[in-house]
Amino acid sequence: MGQTTKKTNATSGTHSASRHRSCEHERKELPRPEEQPYGSGAGSAGEGPAVSEHVVDYYEILGVRKDASPEEIRQAFRRLAKKYHPDRNAGRAKWAEAKIRVIIQAYDTLMDRDLRNAYDRKLRQELDPDEDAYRQSLRSRIGDPHAEAKLILEDLLHERGEEALEVFERACAREGGFDLSKYLESKDYLDCLFLLGEEYERAGDWKKALEFYHKVYDLERDQPMRYFLETLKERIRDIYCKKLARRASPVEAVDVYERVLALGIPKKTEAYIHKKIAESFFRAGQHKRAKAHLAKAFALEPKLKGAQKICEKLGLSFRRERKQAAAAGT
């Protein structure tokens, strides 16, 4: 979107035209046994990030994304430690030991929050010193809403989500809300809203994520070019169904599922949602309403899957319901 599109696609992608997708960075394999260990100038374990002339990319070494979670880093470390263990490379023990040392360095650095933050700053400055200078100039103007809005977008585009949320929430507290549309161009504003939603989703704040996704959805729906509408529908639907509904009471779950129906979804998905509403009404003791929604589900999708249990609970024949729905559809 706008001038941010190029930067956006460089970090991750949701759509060919913008950042609106979950991060899917290309994973790079470690060098093959025939190749040299990582960087001839790499330091030994415990000395901090290995540096020769340049900062070694620990994310590339472990084969993880820049925003990888501790669990993803731990899994990558275990896989590589097993792969390059000297006992499995008996003919190249010294070579394997050199690899293991750097893998341990990478793991120790990225698993420590403070070390990782310091390392990330050093790596970003190495990769793009001009970008780091621009960011510093924005940070020096904290308190200026124009600079803060640009800093939030800059940090989101370069995978500094926690720092972006910190600036955004501080500005909201100070201003009693922070209207980014006043300080960003329309396309950058849409990007920023989506990325804030994505960051809140990553942080597990589902309601806040939905607030931003819905804003983008409402704005996109009125645009002639709807680049992100389907992606947004999927995100919103997944949060409602997989996060909120599972944690809600049966009656609250029905309300959540009805919001999904209001999005306008494919028939098969609509049938699935009606089945979930039927299950929720059953748990709430409202069997008549459960049967009504299950009938809607079968009418939309006669070959509805996963409905056998709810049919049995409601005293219905699963096969009969499917046959009746199929006959009605012919």
Side-chain angles (χ1 to χ4, degrees):
M1 289 182 127
Q3 294 179 348
T4 65
T5 302
K6 185 174 180 181
K7 284 184 179 180
T8 297
N9 288 337
T11 54
S12 64
T14 55
H15 191 280
S16 59
S18 179
R19 167 72 167 78
H20 294 55
R21 262 192 199 150
S22 57
C23 294
E24 285 294 337
H25 296 272
E26 181 179 348
R27 282 171 163 73
K28 299 183 179 178
E29 289 295 324
L30 286 170
R32 292 186 295 275
E34 295 77 19
E35 297 176 297
Q36 294 293 320
Y38 307 108
S40 58
S44 60
E47 295 178 356
V51 179
S52 53
E53 292 183 2
H54 301 288
V55 178
V56 174
D57 190 335
Y58 286 157
Y59 296 99
E60 183 175 334
I61 286 172
L62 294 180
V64 298
R65 305 181 309 248
K66 296 290 192 293
D67 64 343
S69 67
E71 182 58 29
E72 289 173 323
I73 293 169
R74 189 177 294 110
Q75 290 176 2
F77 171 74
R78 289 172 178 169
R79 174 175 57 82
L80 294 174
K82 184 177 180 180
K83 179 177 180 180
Y84 292 106
H85 194 283
D87 290 348
R88 301 188 68 177
N89 296 273
R92 304 173 67 88
K94 290 185 178 179
W95 168 85
E97 289 170 3
K99 281 195 179 288
I100 288 293
R101 278 198 299 271
V102 183
I103 290 168
I104 291 173
Q105 274 188 315
Y107 176 77
D108 286 346
T109 300
L110 299 184
M111 288 297 287
D112 184 290
R113 184 186 181 91
D114 293 334
L115 286 178
R116 183 174 181 177
N117 287 338
Y119 170 76
D120 284 347
R121 287 193 294 271
K122 184 178 290 188
L123 182 62
R124 285 194 296 268
Q125 190 169 13
E126 173 76 17
L127 296 174
D128 191 350
D130 292 335
E131 177 259 317
D132 191 68
Y134 171 64
R135 181 172 180 269
Q136 290 305 318
S137 73
L138 294 175
R139 288 196 66 84
S140 69
R141 294 158 56 200
I142 288 291
D144 174 0
H146 290 85
E148 288 175 327
K150 292 177 181 178
L151 177 60
I152 290 165
L153 180 59
E154 179 75 8
D155 280 350
L156 289 169
L157 288 170
H158 291 86
E159 301 175 5
R160 292 186 286 262
E162 289 185 8
E163 294 168 66
L165 291 187
E166 182 181 343
V167 175
F168 176 72
E169 290 176 354
R170 188 165 57 233
C172 284
R174 185 186 67 238
E175 304 287 338
F178 191 39
D179 186 355
L180 292 162
S181 67
K182 293 180 179 179
Y183 313 109
L184 298 173
E185 294 181 5
S186 60
K187 293 180 179 179
D188 287 348
Y189 172 60
L190 280 176
D191 270 344
C192 198
L193 288 182
F194 185 93
L195 294 172
L196 281 169
E198 190 173 67
E199 197 56 42
Y200 276 116
E201 182 181 0
R202 186 177 292 116
D205 191 337
W206 317 121
K207 291 184 178 180
K208 202 74 175 176
L210 282 171
E211 177 187 329
F212 285 97
Y213 286 156
H214 272 298
K215 283 182 181 179
V216 182
Y217 179 80
D218 291 340
L219 291 167
E220 276 282 301
R221 195 168 47 182
D222 297 331
Q223 298 296 320
M225 298 295 288
R226 300 174 179 180
Y227 294 112
F228 320 115
L229 218 55
E230 293 307 313
T231 298
L232 284 163
K233 282 183 182 180
E234 290 177 11
R235 292 287 184 94
I236 293 169
R237 184 191 66 208
D238 285 351
I239 292 176
Y240 275 136
C241 295
K242 298 179 181 179
K243 306 298 181 184
L244 297 185
R246 292 180 181 179
R247 294 165 172 78
S249 68
V251 175
E252 289 171 337
V254 169
D255 180 60
V256 168
Y257 289 129
E258 286 178 344
R259 293 181 195 179
V260 177
L261 291 176
L263 293 172
I265 51 180
K267 283 180 65 176
K268 283 189 176 182
T269 306
E270 188 177 351
Y272 169 79
I273 296 300
H274 278 293
K275 178 177 75 75
K276 299 302 291 183
I277 292 176
E279 292 169 350
S280 298
F281 273 131
F282 176 80
R283 290 198 300 274
Q286 300 184 41
H287 294 188
K288 186 175 180 180
R289 300 181 76 175
K291 289 179 180 179
H293 278 278
L294 189 58
K296 288 182 181 180
F298 276 113
L300 288 164
E301 179 52 56
K303 296 182 179 179
L304 184 66
K305 296 180 180 179
Q308 191 161 354
K309 285 186 179 180
I310 185 62
C311 282
E312 291 173 357
K313 290 177 180 178
L314 290 169
L316 301 173
S317 168
F318 175 65
R319 290 184 179 180
R320 187 182 302 117
E321 293 297 319
R322 293 185 69 171
K323 283 182 180 180
Q324 289 178 350
T330 57

